[in-house]
Amino acid sequence: MTHPPTLALLAAALAAAARGWPVFPLRPGDKRPAGHAEHRCPRTGRCENGHLTPEQRATTDPGLIRACWQSWNGRPYNVGIATGPAALLVIDLDKPKDKDKDKDKKDSPDGETTFKALCERAAQPVPATHRVRTASGGIHLYFTAPHGARLRNSAGKLGPLIDTRAGGGYVVAPGSLTAAGRYETLDDTPAVPLPTWLLALLQPDQPRPTALLKLPAVDGSRAALAALERECATVATAPDKQRNTLLNRCAFKVGRFVAWGDLPRHQVEVAFQAAGESRGLTAAECRTTIRSALDSSIRTARPRETA
Ligand SMILES: [Zn+2]
């Protein structure tokens, strides 16, 4: 049996640490952290004062790294980079899994294609930054996280087959070898700062500014105003993936009250604009969606009697 060269993995760990990225050992030939899980913690040695997670154990100290990677018994450890302490945000563009028997899923675009489309829609270039090919043929894009951004891992937040690794997470470093293949550096340039438009999409949900939703008491039947308030609240609390769909649907529902003359169109637009923006949609996205939903609703509204 041939072992991957220990020195290569030690070198990979030292190289990551030299960039300021704390590392910890992964099981030989595997993506999972080496060492015991929290529920098996012996509360001795390094865990004497309580279990240490891989993130807490991760280090850039070359002495500790040498000691760890030279202490292998049998096969050398792979290398994990703790993205949180490294102040990194890594975008993980995955491939559909072969084991996905669901044909739709298997044929769906991979993470890289979806990410390109996302950049195109945002009228932004695909960021040129430190880039690693994963064992399964996916891509890791490395970015430096803005100071104090408190970014966490995310799954599917940017799109299908796109995950991110940040606080609390880790990535498998290049040089590591698993049954699926080797992790290899594709572009060795330093990680660039996370573009602000991506940061905006990944930022933890802000507390909803509910004050924005207090509607001015103006004309409009009570039922119409109640509907407006209710639908705006739905938009303001929409799940990430549905906020634009719900903005469209909710504005459409209220459109008939505009058609019937119960509410001025301008008031409805202002209320939904505030709700949509408070949920993190851009002003332009909100305007476009609201205009199209109202146009369509007003055009197709039935007379009140038959509604
Ligand atoms: Zn422990």
Side-chain angles (χ1 to χ4, degrees):
M1 183 173 171
T2 56
H3 301 305
T6 306
L7 281 179
L9 283 164
L10 171 60
L14 289 171
R19 291 181 189 265
W21 302 338
V23 295
F24 61 92
L26 304 177
R27 296 182 199 183
D30 204 297
K31 291 160 58 164
R32 289 169 294 175
H36 57 260
E38 182 164 12
H39 67 278
R40 297 237 170 103
C41 187
R43 297 280 188 269
T44 58
R46 64 170 182 245
C47 293
E48 197 174 9
N49 297 315
H51 180 68
L52 292 180
T53 63
E55 180 173 280
Q56 291 165 328
R57 275 160 33 212
T59 181
T60 56
D61 181 329
L64 291 175
I65 292 170
R66 281 178 203 286
C68 174
W69 265 270
Q70 286 168 349
S71 75
W72 63 289
N73 44 6
R75 300 165 66 196
Y77 295 122
N78 276 333
V79 180
I81 297 172
T83 38
L88 284 174
L89 180 125
V90 175
I91 297 185
D92 176 13
L93 306 174
D94 215 348
K95 295 273 185 200
K97 304 257 179 303
D98 278 342
K99 64 173 190 233
D100 246 328
K101 290 289 177 268
D102 186 340
K103 193 177 178 319
D104 283 351
K105 272 193 188 161
K106 210 168 163 181
D107 293 346
S108 61
D110 61 16
E112 189 180 8
T113 308
T114 303
F115 185 68
K116 275 184 188 156
L118 176 69
C119 295
E120 223 161 81
R121 276 204 307 283
Q124 299 289 336
V126 175
T129 191
H130 192 79
R131 187 181 271 255
V132 170
R133 198 183 61 226
T134 71
S136 57
I139 287 177
H140 283 168
L141 294 175
Y142 284 52
F143 298 97
T144 58
H147 185 68
R150 294 171 170 276
L151 295 168
R152 306 292 295 178
N153 295 340
S154 73
K157 195 166 182 176
L158 293 178
L161 294 174
I162 305 179
D163 295 345
T164 63
R165 304 277 174 255
Y170 68 95
V171 287
V172 182
S176 301
L177 183 69
T178 70
R182 188 179 289 281
Y183 287 72
E184 282 175 347
T185 305
L186 292 176
D187 186 338
D188 200 30
T189 54
V192 301
L194 181 68
T196 46
W197 70 275
L198 283 167
L199 174 64
L201 293 177
L202 289 169
Q203 215 127 36
D205 295 339
Q206 305 296 322
R208 314 257 184 272
T210 45
L212 278 175
L213 300 177
K214 292 276 172 270
L215 301 172
V218 292
D219 320 12
S221 72
R222 199 180 293 174
L225 267 183
L228 178 57
E229 194 141 0
R230 187 179 61 241
E231 298 304 326
C232 283
T234 301
V235 170
T237 56
D240 272 352
K241 286 184 185 170
Q242 291 171 27
R243 33 190 200 181
N244 199 43
T245 310
L246 281 176
L247 176 59
N248 180 58
R249 189 180 304 161
C250 294
F252 184 90
K253 276 192 201 167
V254 176
R256 60 189 167 147
F257 295 108
V258 178
W260 296 338
D262 291 334
L263 291 170
R265 176 168 178 146
H266 176 68
Q267 184 189 359
V268 174
E269 285 173 339
V270 168
F272 276 113
Q273 186 77 24
E277 287 185 34
S278 82
R279 190 56 198 87
L281 292 166
T282 67
E285 281 173 321
C286 293
R287 269 195 302 277
T288 309
T289 302
I290 295 165
R291 186 187 308 135
S292 129
L294 289 181
D295 285 351
S296 150
S297 175
I298 291 164
R299 197 172 56 239
T300 58
R302 292 188 235 161
R304 189 193 296 272
E305 295 75 43
T306 62

